[in-house]
Structures are given as structure tokens and as C-alpha cells.
Amino acid sequence: MAALRGRDFTGIRDLDVGELLELLRLAAELKARSRAGDRPPLLSGKTLALVFEKPSLRTRVTFEAAMLQLGGHAVYLGAQDIQMGSRESPPDVARTLERAVDGIAVRTFAQETVQALAEHARIPVLNALSDWEHPCQALAALLTIQERLGRLTGVRLAWVGDGNNVLRSFLLGMTRLGISIAIATPPRYGIDPETLRAAREDAASAGAAVEVTDDPAQAVAGADLIYTDAWASMGQEAEAAARRQAFARFQVNAALLARAPRTALVSHCLPAHRGEEITGEVLDGPRSVAFDEAENRLHVQKALLAQIL
Ligand code: CP
Ligand code: NVA
């Protein structure tokens, strides 16, 4: 457990394969213990600051509940509280918070803001979503895959929709564990070439593969899990109408599921837009594990906090 103490988690690559697997093991243990009524106070007296510049349901509530269940405490600071960048610079926020709390979870726009906080704070900084990555979601998806499929190596994930922050964390975190990813995005909305190159290298050394297509049916053909996310992420609201047109063929619906193996599961990081990237029928259907994954945010973040703070 000591290996991660004091470290930052600015992106999924801050954990190596051994650390990722140990985190998943601890998360499963804490989940089972919590269900049995055993909540060890591993973070008694510790405080986590939540510096959030974007809205959140899951991330806020799971970080707050995680701290409470581990015997600690969380302080929520919204965009209007700190006004980072105008009222106060990220380095000064970092230098101030480190005097009062034991860690910072930050949800922001530019990844550079996460990096600036990490650079200037002597306490751990955790990425609770940036425009670039959403590493906590990758951890929750991994725990869900492990629970539902009983393995990670050899699993085939299909990503249908936007080449966004969540996909980037999946590519940089999952391929190293032997998970293959087939990506179907409209050409203009694909993942950046550098992320793709790194993920392909990782996949090759782990016996997995990364494929890119603009045909959703091709991506889901061999999938164990089909994943999608909002067509317009937070901060892209002005592009929403144009994106609805560009992504019209990229909806996860019953017709697309019919092109996938009968056993394929479906997930979504949520919040979902029923009738856009996914139909209500599929999201609320028997193959959806989206809300199991939402719960698993709590368990993986407890494991993360217990190891890092
Ligand atoms: N999936 C996720 O991060 O949800 P919130 O934006 O509600 O935190
Ligand atoms: N890609 C989405 C994820 C929301 C949890 C966004 O950044 O808005």
C-alpha cells in the first residue's frame, strides 16, 4: 500500500500495471467489506479538497462518500468559490490548500490546470476529470469488467461515439492490461494520434489490439462490452447541434446491439442523453452495467484514496 503514498494521480498512466491491479484488488476487498458492514477508518482525520470547475453528480458524491466511509472528510469548492485563474492562480490555490488538507481532487477544463496544482502542491492531486482524461472512470470500468466478465486480459471493448477524455483514459489504461479496444468515431472526432500510438504500443506488448473504424457495426462485431459517452462533453455545449448531426450514425441502440455478440454488455460513464448517444431501451435494459459502474466509482476511489493519502 505504501507504494502510492503521497503520489499524484493526474492521469491513468501515473499507475503502472502492478499498481493498477493492486488497486482493483483493494477496491474489490473494500467493496465486499463495506457490504458486510465493515468500513475500516483508513483515513481517520484526513481531509480531501474537491476543487470542481464543472458540474458533477457521481464524482462529487463518490469522493465525498469515500472520504466519509474511510473516516475522513471532504470539502467541496465550486467554481464560484475559488474562481481559479481570475481570483487566484492555480499555484496559489495549491500552496494554500496544502496547508490545510491532505489531498486535492480537481475537476477542470485544461489538463495543464491539473498539472499546475500537482506541481505546486506538496500533497497528492487527483484528476477528477479534465478535458484530456477521466482516469477515475477508467478504474471503475475496469472493476466492472473484472466483476462481470471475470477477467481483464483478452476482453474486447467497443467504443462508439466521441474520441474524448474517457476514451483516452481507457486507451492509456486498459490496453496495458490486455484489453483490446475497437473504436468507431466519425473521422473528425477521433482520438489524437499520439494517444493512439501509445495505446497501440501498449496493446501490442500485452497481446491486445486497437482498431479504428467509422463503422459502429464493425466495432461491436466481436465486443464483450460496448461503451459510449455524451456526444458533447462539458465545455462543448456550443457544438452540441453540430455534433448531433455528425454523430447521428453512432447511437448505441437495439439495432446496433443486434450486430454484437448476444452476451455483449453495455456501459456508459453517465450522465446519459437518452435518444442521443444511447437509447433508453438499451441503457435501462438487461445488458446495461452503467449503474454498477457508477457504484464502482465509490469503491475504486476508496482504494485510491486509502493508498495515496
Ligand atoms: N461519470 C461522471 O464522472 O459523472 P459526473 O460528471 O456526474 O461526476
Ligand atoms: N466526456 C464527458 C464525461 C462526463 C463524466 C465530459 O467530459 O463531459
Side-chain angles (χ1 to χ4, degrees), residues 55-59 107 134 137 234 269-271 297:
S56 169
L57 170 62
R58 279 146 293 273
T59 307
R107 166 165 288 205
H134 195 4
Q137 196 69 48
M234 291 180 278
C269 67
L270 304 173
R297 292 288 306 275

PDB file of all heavy atoms in Angstrom, residues 55-59 107 134 137 234 269-271 297, ligand 1:
ATOM      1  N   PRO A  55     -19.761  20.846 -13.459  1.00  0.00           N
ATOM      2  CA  PRO A  55     -20.770  20.136 -12.660  1.00  0.00           C
ATOM      3  C   PRO A  55     -20.405  18.669 -12.457  1.00  0.00           C
ATOM      4  O   PRO A  55     -19.546  18.127 -13.170  1.00  0.00           O
ATOM      5  CB  PRO A  55     -22.040  20.227 -13.515  1.00  0.00           C
ATOM      6  CG  PRO A  55     -21.728  21.021 -14.703  1.00  0.00           C
ATOM      7  CD  PRO A  55     -20.269  21.293 -14.762  1.00  0.00           C
ATOM      8  N   SER A  56     -21.063  18.036 -11.495  1.00  0.00           N
ATOM      9  CA  SER A  56     -20.824  16.617 -11.227  1.00  0.00           C
ATOM     10  C   SER A  56     -21.899  16.059 -10.314  1.00  0.00           C
ATOM     11  O   SER A  56     -22.337  16.729  -9.390  1.00  0.00           O
ATOM     12  CB  SER A  56     -19.468  16.442 -10.535  1.00  0.00           C
ATOM     13  OG  SER A  56     -19.331  15.123 -10.038  1.00  0.00           O
ATOM     14  N   LEU A  57     -22.321  14.838 -10.579  1.00  0.00           N
ATOM     15  CA  LEU A  57     -23.116  14.080  -9.614  1.00  0.00           C
ATOM     16  C   LEU A  57     -22.234  12.977  -9.025  1.00  0.00           C
ATOM     17  O   LEU A  57     -21.864  12.985  -7.847  1.00  0.00           O
ATOM     18  CB  LEU A  57     -24.354  13.468 -10.280  1.00  0.00           C
ATOM     19  CG  LEU A  57     -25.125  12.473  -9.412  1.00  0.00           C
ATOM     20  CD1 LEU A  57     -25.681  13.102  -8.152  1.00  0.00           C
ATOM     21  CD2 LEU A  57     -26.250  11.812 -10.212  1.00  0.00           C
ATOM     22  N   ARG A  58     -21.869  12.006  -9.878  1.00  0.00           N
ATOM     23  CA  ARG A  58     -21.137  10.827  -9.422  1.00  0.00           C
ATOM     24  C   ARG A  58     -19.801  11.160  -8.774  1.00  0.00           C
ATOM     25  O   ARG A  58     -19.472  10.644  -7.703  1.00  0.00           O
ATOM     26  CB  ARG A  58     -20.875   9.869 -10.596  1.00  0.00           C
ATOM     27  CG  ARG A  58     -22.061   8.999 -10.944  1.00  0.00           C
ATOM     28  CD  ARG A  58     -22.101   8.743 -12.429  1.00  0.00           C
ATOM     29  NE  ARG A  58     -22.393   9.985 -13.109  1.00  0.00           N
ATOM     30  CZ  ARG A  58     -23.650  10.418 -13.329  1.00  0.00           C
ATOM     31  NH1 ARG A  58     -24.669   9.683 -13.014  1.00  0.00           N
ATOM     32  NH2 ARG A  58     -23.875  11.583 -13.889  1.00  0.00           N
ATOM     33  N   THR A  59     -19.011  11.988  -9.427  1.00  0.00           N
ATOM     34  CA  THR A  59     -17.649  12.190  -8.947  1.00  0.00           C
ATOM     35  C   THR A  59     -17.659  12.885  -7.596  1.00  0.00           C
ATOM     36  O   THR A  59     -16.950  12.490  -6.668  1.00  0.00           O
ATOM     37  CB  THR A  59     -16.849  12.993  -9.988  1.00  0.00           C
ATOM     38  OG1 THR A  59     -16.980  12.325 -11.242  1.00  0.00           O
ATOM     39  CG2 THR A  59     -15.395  13.087  -9.587  1.00  0.00           C
ATOM     40  N   ARG A 107     -11.524  18.784 -10.691  1.00  0.00           N
ATOM     41  CA  ARG A 107     -12.294  18.624 -11.937  1.00  0.00           C
ATOM     42  C   ARG A 107     -12.232  19.945 -12.666  1.00  0.00           C
ATOM     43  O   ARG A 107     -12.705  20.980 -12.164  1.00  0.00           O
ATOM     44  CB  ARG A 107     -13.739  18.230 -11.642  1.00  0.00           C
ATOM     45  CG  ARG A 107     -14.647  18.380 -12.851  1.00  0.00           C
ATOM     46  CD  ARG A 107     -15.975  17.696 -12.725  1.00  0.00           C
ATOM     47  NE  ARG A 107     -15.827  16.266 -12.820  1.00  0.00           N
ATOM     48  CZ  ARG A 107     -16.791  15.428 -13.217  1.00  0.00           C
ATOM     49  NH1 ARG A 107     -17.973  15.892 -13.548  1.00  0.00           N
ATOM     50  NH2 ARG A 107     -16.584  14.126 -13.273  1.00  0.00           N
ATOM     51  N   HIS A 134     -10.141  11.186 -17.883  1.00  0.00           N
ATOM     52  CA  HIS A 134     -11.042  10.905 -16.763  1.00  0.00           C
ATOM     53  C   HIS A 134     -10.605   9.553 -16.163  1.00  0.00           C
ATOM     54  O   HIS A 134     -11.280   8.533 -16.312  1.00  0.00           O
ATOM     55  CB  HIS A 134     -12.494  10.856 -17.257  1.00  0.00           C
ATOM     56  CG  HIS A 134     -13.521  10.933 -16.167  1.00  0.00           C
ATOM     57  ND1 HIS A 134     -13.196  11.119 -14.834  1.00  0.00           N
ATOM     58  CD2 HIS A 134     -14.880  10.830 -16.204  1.00  0.00           C
ATOM     59  CE1 HIS A 134     -14.314  11.138 -14.120  1.00  0.00           C
ATOM     60  NE2 HIS A 134     -15.341  10.964 -14.921  1.00  0.00           N
ATOM     61  N   GLN A 137     -12.829   7.156 -14.037  1.00  0.00           N
ATOM     62  CA  GLN A 137     -13.842   6.393 -14.772  1.00  0.00           C
ATOM     63  C   GLN A 137     -13.228   5.120 -15.339  1.00  0.00           C
ATOM     64  O   GLN A 137     -13.871   4.066 -15.356  1.00  0.00           O
ATOM     65  CB  GLN A 137     -14.424   7.258 -15.900  1.00  0.00           C
ATOM     66  CG  GLN A 137     -15.717   6.712 -16.455  1.00  0.00           C
ATOM     67  CD  GLN A 137     -16.862   6.832 -15.449  1.00  0.00           C
ATOM     68  OE1 GLN A 137     -17.062   7.882 -14.851  1.00  0.00           O
ATOM     69  NE2 GLN A 137     -17.612   5.753 -15.249  1.00  0.00           N
ATOM     70  N   MET A 234     -18.671  18.265 -21.371  1.00  0.00           N
ATOM     71  CA  MET A 234     -18.766  19.541 -20.656  1.00  0.00           C
ATOM     72  C   MET A 234     -17.741  20.516 -21.235  1.00  0.00           C
ATOM     73  O   MET A 234     -16.574  20.159 -21.385  1.00  0.00           O
ATOM     74  CB  MET A 234     -18.518  19.316 -19.162  1.00  0.00           C
ATOM     75  CG  MET A 234     -19.638  18.556 -18.492  1.00  0.00           C
ATOM     76  SD  MET A 234     -19.354  18.288 -16.722  1.00  0.00           S
ATOM     77  CE  MET A 234     -18.281  16.863 -16.747  1.00  0.00           C
ATOM     78  N   CYS A 269     -20.476   6.158 -19.029  1.00  0.00           N
ATOM     79  CA  CYS A 269     -19.934   6.747 -17.794  1.00  0.00           C
ATOM     80  C   CYS A 269     -20.976   7.594 -17.071  1.00  0.00           C
ATOM     81  O   CYS A 269     -20.818   7.857 -15.891  1.00  0.00           O
ATOM     82  CB  CYS A 269     -18.683   7.548 -18.092  1.00  0.00           C
ATOM     83  SG  CYS A 269     -18.979   9.014 -19.069  1.00  0.00           S
ATOM     84  N   LEU A 270     -22.037   8.014 -17.809  1.00  0.00           N
ATOM     85  CA  LEU A 270     -23.112   8.842 -17.261  1.00  0.00           C
ATOM     86  C   LEU A 270     -22.563  10.235 -16.898  1.00  0.00           C
ATOM     87  O   LEU A 270     -21.412  10.299 -16.481  1.00  0.00           O
ATOM     88  CB  LEU A 270     -23.758   8.188 -16.031  1.00  0.00           C
ATOM     89  CG  LEU A 270     -24.314   6.769 -16.254  1.00  0.00           C
ATOM     90  CD1 LEU A 270     -24.767   6.177 -14.915  1.00  0.00           C
ATOM     91  CD2 LEU A 270     -25.482   6.795 -17.236  1.00  0.00           C
ATOM     92  N   PRO A 271     -23.340  11.301 -17.050  1.00  0.00           N
ATOM     93  CA  PRO A 271     -24.759  11.314 -17.383  1.00  0.00           C
ATOM     94  C   PRO A 271     -25.020  10.951 -18.855  1.00  0.00           C
ATOM     95  O   PRO A 271     -24.240  11.316 -19.735  1.00  0.00           O
ATOM     96  CB  PRO A 271     -25.170  12.768 -17.109  1.00  0.00           C
ATOM     97  CG  PRO A 271     -23.931  13.560 -17.311  1.00  0.00           C
ATOM     98  CD  PRO A 271     -22.813  12.673 -16.853  1.00  0.00           C
ATOM     99  N   ARG A 297     -17.427   3.588  -8.936  1.00  0.00           N
ATOM    100  CA  ARG A 297     -16.627   4.804  -8.728  1.00  0.00           C
ATOM    101  C   ARG A 297     -16.300   4.949  -7.245  1.00  0.00           C
ATOM    102  O   ARG A 297     -15.186   5.318  -6.868  1.00  0.00           O
ATOM    103  CB  ARG A 297     -17.394   6.042  -9.217  1.00  0.00           C
ATOM    104  CG  ARG A 297     -17.596   6.125 -10.731  1.00  0.00           C
ATOM    105  CD  ARG A 297     -16.299   6.443 -11.458  1.00  0.00           C
ATOM    106  NE  ARG A 297     -15.674   7.652 -10.939  1.00  0.00           N
ATOM    107  CZ  ARG A 297     -15.983   8.888 -11.343  1.00  0.00           C
ATOM    108  NH1 ARG A 297     -16.874   9.070 -12.304  1.00  0.00           N
ATOM    109  NH2 ARG A 297     -15.368   9.936 -10.822  1.00  0.00           N
TER     110      ARG A 297
HETATM  111  N1   CP B   1     -19.223   9.872 -14.731  1.00  0.00           N
HETATM  112  C1   CP B   1     -19.034  11.013 -14.053  1.00  0.00           C
HETATM  113  O1   CP B   1     -17.915  11.443 -13.824  1.00  0.00           O
HETATM  114  O2   CP B   1     -20.190  11.610 -13.627  1.00  0.00           O
HETATM  115  P1   CP B   1     -20.313  13.101 -13.037  1.00  0.00           P
HETATM  116  O3   CP B   1     -19.954  14.041 -14.137  1.00  0.00           O
HETATM  117  O4   CP B   1     -21.724  13.225 -12.589  1.00  0.00           O
HETATM  118  O5   CP B   1     -19.351  13.215 -11.891  1.00  0.00           O
END
